[in-house]
Amino acid sequence: MHLPKFEYFQPSTVEEAVHLLEIQKSSVGLAAGGTDLYPRMKYGLTRPESIISLKHIPVTPPTLSQDGILNLDAFMHIGDVVSSQIILDNAPLLSEAAGRVASEEIRQMATLGGNICQESRCLYYNQGHSFQFIDPCLKRGGDLCYFVPNGKKCLAVYMSDTAPALMCLNAKVKIIGSKGERQIPIEDIYSGEAKRPVKIGPTEIFFQINIAKQPKSSGWAYRKFSLRGGVEFAGVGVATGLIMRNNEKVCEQASITVGAIAAAPLRASKAESLLKGKEISDSLLKEAAKVAADEIKVVPHHGYSKLYLQEILRVQTRRTLEAAYERCS
Ligand SMILES: Cc1cc2nc3c(=O)[nH]c(=O)nc-3n(C[C@H](O)[C@H](O)[C@H](O)COP(=O)(O)OP(=O)(O)OC[C@H]3O[C@@H](n4cnc5c(N)ncnc54)[C@H](O)[C@@H]3O)c2cc1C
């Protein structure tokens, strides 16, 4: 499979990249590592006439501000996220989730920004369609779904591994565009619509991710379920965090987010509320996992049925909560 022809731009600053986005007359695509974009171009799912590569913009190493905020460059390679000591010390949940993205080779090319801006996926949509003489599906601009007869809503699933972890950590993203810079909670970048899961303006670029300091008495865990393991997208990804009252077994705050089950990562807020202010016990963690599995609306995908994914979600939530509790220091 070959890439179609396109014009290629290599800006060396993010401002230059924004300017190039502004002045492009033809359809344009941003490429960071290209591990999501280029396969989609090869399949003919998107055909930008020009590509603006973010690869030549220098990457600032992670820093910790005086008030303990961890600043991450969105152009950082996922492999560097995994190996960074400062990230491991200050946001171990992100290190753990980043380590579950694809394979070592892909992690060396893929970026954090690209991981959170990746497209939603579906077993029918993510393939070459040039030899199919059938009407396009909703995500390809048509008006039907090949999985849900008479379905009027695209049910492709957003499968980033780092996004649920960043949402669990209440990360904020910084965006730069022709109208200047803005910072928003990562939850707000998602549209909830599978056809275009990430809300970002046509001349905007994510350039930084900020994570606030976590209390010492906290523990975090990420688990990704996939049938074959190895280089495979998640069937379900669960990120959890428990912040404990000092020297007590009481949970001050809980954070539970689930990925790869809908058009955006979802927060299990009822389960979070159930844990808040309670003394942690095995039975409470089990109950919270059940509440999470009941409250999250799971979209069946990639051959996994809804009931199966709900059960996996319950088991994975319990296991991540147990691991997070064990890690509370
Ligand atoms: C075999 C294979 C296995 C994979 N497995 C996984 C997996 O297990 N888990 C997982 O999460 N992903 C997986 N992926 C998907 C992909 O590799 C990752 O999501 C990767 O992190 C994408 O990053 P990138 O820099 O290569 O993105 P790109 O392909 O460069 O970009 C992806 C999208 O984001 C946009 N974009 C990129 N950076 C920015 C930015 N800074 N601001 C605004 N928009 C931006 C691009 O325009 C594009 O639309 C897999 C891919 C392959 C090919």
Side-chain angles (χ1 to χ4, degrees):
M1 252 185 236
H2 300 285
L3 276 174
K5 284 209 160 108
F6 53 84
E7 214 177 336
Y8 189 68
F9 297 91
Q10 303 181 30
S12 51
T13 64
V14 71
E15 291 78 11
E16 200 187 325
V18 170
H19 177 67
L20 282 167
L21 281 176
E22 263 180 310
I23 61 170
Q24 285 312 303
K25 301 247 175 343
S26 53
S27 60
V28 58
L30 274 181
T35 61
D36 181 58
L37 180 72
Y38 293 142
R40 296 197 322 108
M41 286 174 68
K42 287 186 176 180
Y43 279 146
L45 302 175
T46 179
R47 284 198 186 277
E49 289 161 46
S50 39
I51 293 282
I52 298 173
S53 169
L54 303 172
K55 241 166 64 176
H56 302 271
I57 301 176
V59 180
T60 312
T63 57
L64 205 56
S65 68
Q66 275 192 338
D67 43 1
I69 294 176
L70 182 63
N71 306 304
L72 305 176
D73 194 317
F75 309 136
M76 208 179 160
H77 288 129
I78 301 277
D80 294 334
V81 173
V82 180
S83 61
S84 160
Q85 190 60 44
I86 190 170
I87 298 181
L88 186 64
D89 292 343
N90 294 280
L93 179 63
L94 178 60
S95 310
E96 191 169 23
R100 302 306 315 276
V101 172
S103 63
E104 184 63 45
E105 290 85 350
I106 291 176
R107 291 195 291 269
Q108 294 307 325
M109 290 181 73
T111 64
L112 193 51
N115 194 261
I116 63 178
C117 292
Q118 68 178 269
E119 262 297 343
S120 52
R121 305 178 65 85
C122 152
L123 209 48
Y124 165 75
Y125 172 75
N126 286 90
Q127 57 172 308
H129 298 269
S130 47
F131 298 106
Q132 295 175 340
F133 302 104
I134 51 175
D135 290 331
C137 71
L138 289 156
K139 195 159 166 69
R140 287 178 62 223
D143 57 7
L144 51 90
C145 173
Y146 285 101
F147 283 117
V148 183
N150 303 320
K152 290 286 167 239
K153 194 169 186 265
C154 175
L155 294 179
V157 170
Y158 172 82
M159 304 175 94
S160 160
D161 280 303
T162 62
L166 288 166
M167 201 155 129
C168 191
L169 290 161
N170 293 316
K172 294 198 167 124
V173 291
K174 273 194 174 172
I175 302 170
I176 184 166
S178 47
K179 294 187 183 132
E181 287 181 25
R182 60 191 176 107
Q183 175 167 275
I184 52 170
I186 191 165
E187 319 211 16
D188 294 352
I189 70 170
Y190 298 109
S191 65
E193 290 297 327
K195 280 177 82 173
R196 195 162 174 263
V198 177
K199 282 189 287 185
I200 182 163
T203 63
E204 288 190 318
I205 297 176
F206 289 91
F207 71 101
Q208 205 180 73
I209 294 143
N210 296 332
I211 301 170
K213 189 178 165 72
Q214 309 302 329
K216 271 212 164 126
S217 55
S218 61
W220 307 86
Y222 178 76
R223 266 178 184 259
K224 166 178 177 171
F225 167 80
S226 61
L227 265 188
R228 292 169 299 176
V231 188
E232 198 178 2
F233 282 90
V236 177
V238 183
T240 60
L242 292 173
I243 299 176
M244 305 300 291
R245 225 169 258 176
N246 278 342
N247 307 321
E248 288 182 44
K249 282 185 155 188
V250 176
C251 169
E252 190 74 46
Q253 210 180 311
S255 190
I256 305 173
T257 50
V258 186
I261 35 73
L266 299 178
R267 194 171 272 285
S269 24
K270 285 187 189 159
E272 289 176 347
S273 310
L274 176 81
L275 291 163
K276 191 173 173 172
K278 304 247 177 63
E279 188 170 310
I280 297 293
S281 63
D282 280 353
S283 58
L284 181 68
L285 297 184
K286 270 188 194 148
E287 197 188 338
K290 184 169 182 323
V291 170
D294 289 344
E295 72 175 295
I296 297 278
K297 281 206 167 79
V298 170
V299 173
H301 67 89
H302 292 83
Y304 300 113
S305 73
K306 187 173 175 173
L307 272 181
Y308 183 73
L309 287 179
Q310 260 171 336
E311 179 59 6
I312 296 290
L313 171 55
R314 184 186 65 75
V315 173
Q316 295 291 61
T317 307
R318 176 177 54 75
R319 288 182 180 161
T320 50
L321 283 170
E322 285 167 358
Y325 184 51
E326 264 177 36
R327 293 171 185 179
C328 288
S329 47

